[in-house]
Amino acid sequence: SFAGPERLIPLAAQIGDLGRVDYVLISHNHYDHLDEATVKELQRLYSPRFFVPARVGSLVRSWGADKVVELDWWEYVTVGGVRFHCTPARHFSARGIFDRNETLWASWYVEDEPAGFSFYFAGDTGYSSHFKEIRETIGSPDLALIPIGAYEPRWFMSEVHVDPDQAVQAFHDLQAGRMLPVHWGTFPMAEEGMMEPPTRMLETAQRLGIAADRFDLVQGGELVHFRKSGRPLVKRTLAGAAP
């Protein structure tokens, strides 16, 4: 409300436009990924189950969340036939100047056994061997949500954010069926141009011989359903979303 970069695009939709929300995945406690007002509104409207990395649970509970699952890396739980794996990431945590790395950061691998569908959410992360380790330990997901933005300058960002080339490499390491690029085009958080990440991602994919139709670029407010095969089923705009 008083510091940090300003959004360059409006909110895609209000929380009430989302429909039923059963589960919420939290990657880490940075303000742009864990917002108090959002958690409170999700709790008020849907009372979902929040999955959080180790030592983040107390904060989310203090905001009123009453169903919180707190996991360490490589731990998992199964709820209603859906298995939630807390998996590694290369990042850091802090909400102030004296609590750096006191809570965990994570990625998430979700296996929906009844639907026969799996997806991976990378959270915020730099590049490392953890992508291959996740594939070797759990398997290749049908869909991978991988960040592609906020990566320049590399001397500063490389430890905590992949660039588009590394995002494509992570997609290859995971041997995922499709990739949904995230973490771009909303806040001016780094020195690269706002539209550079997807352009560079597709150029890298072409250079590596990966078909462009395996990358699903969605605009703010678009809703994508994926079927069992991992292929997109339909794209539409959420009610109330900005054009």
Side-chain angles (χ1 to χ4, degrees), residues 5 60 67:
V60 177
K67 294 192 288 289

Side-chain angles (χ1 to χ4, degrees), residues 106-120:
S107 58
W108 294 93
Y109 193 118
V110 179
E111 298 175 285
D112 187 340
E113 295 177 356
F117 183 75
S118 61
F119 73 89
Y120 170 73

Side-chain angles (χ1 to χ4, degrees), residues 152-164:
E152 293 289 357
R154 295 311 290 153
W155 67 265
F156 176 68
M157 291 291 195
S158 63
E159 290 296 312
V160 294
H161 289 165
V162 295
D163 63 21

Side-chain angles (χ1 to χ4, degrees):
S1 59
F2 65 92
E6 183 179 357
R7 289 182 67 100
L8 295 184
I9 60 171
L11 286 171
Q14 299 301 311
I15 294 173
D17 296 328
L18 298 176
R20 177 176 171 180
V21 176
D22 297 303
Y23 310 117
V24 176
L25 303 177
I26 302 297
S27 58
H28 61 298
N29 72 352
H30 285 159
Y31 283 87
D32 58 329
H33 291 261
L34 181 57
D35 176 67
E36 178 179 356
T38 302
V39 170
K40 288 181 175 179
E41 186 70 354
L42 285 166
Q43 175 64 30
R44 184 183 72 83
L45 292 174
Y46 308 114
S47 187
R49 195 178 305 271
F50 291 85
F51 291 86
V52 304
R55 298 180 296 282
V56 178
S58 59
L59 179 62
V60 177
R61 291 187 188 95
S62 74
W63 296 337
D66 57 6
K67 294 192 288 289
V68 180
V69 179
E70 190 171 342
L71 298 176
D72 205 340
W73 288 355
W74 301 116
E75 292 183 334
Y76 66 86
V77 296
T78 302
V79 180
V82 181
R83 180 167 292 182
F84 297 83
H85 300 261
C86 181
T87 45
R90 182 178 177 177
H91 202 57
F92 72 105
S93 66
R95 285 184 78 83
I97 59 175
F98 300 114
D99 65 340
R100 188 179 177 92
N101 294 343
E102 289 187 0
T103 64
L104 190 63
W105 51 95
S107 58
W108 294 93
Y109 193 118
V110 179
E111 298 175 285
D112 187 340
E113 295 177 356
F117 183 75
S118 61
F119 73 89
Y120 170 73
F121 168 48
D124 262 13
T125 185
Y127 182 77
S128 80
S129 62
H130 69 275
F131 297 107
K132 290 181 180 178
E133 292 169 3
I134 290 168
R135 184 199 73 219
E136 292 168 353
T137 303
I138 305 175
S140 297
D142 296 303
L143 175 69
L145 285 73
I146 300 176
I148 61 171
Y151 52 84
E152 293 289 357
R154 295 311 290 153
W155 67 265
F156 176 68
M157 291 291 195
S158 63
E159 290 296 312
V160 294
H161 289 165
V162 295
D163 63 21
D165 303 341
Q166 293 171 326
V168 174
Q169 183 62 52
F171 174 60
H172 176 75
D173 291 350
L174 289 161
Q175 293 293 294
R178 305 185 69 80
M179 175 173 158
L180 183 65
V182 298
H183 204 261
W184 67 278
T186 304
F187 293 99
M189 297 179 64
E191 293 182 359
E192 77 271 4
M194 293 297 288
M195 291 306 298
E196 180 182 302
T199 300
R200 184 168 157 186
M201 176 195 71
L202 292 175
E203 290 173 349
T204 301
Q206 182 179 34
R207 187 172 66 250
L208 296 178
I210 303 174
D213 63 3
R214 293 177 66 189
F215 299 84
D216 294 294
L217 281 170
V218 297
Q219 302 301 313
E222 277 192 320
L223 179 65
V224 185
H225 293 275
F226 289 89
R227 52 181 144 189
K228 183 176 180 179
S229 66
R231 303 289 293 183
L233 186 60
V234 66
K235 288 185 180 181
R236 66 177 176 83
T237 301
L238 283 168

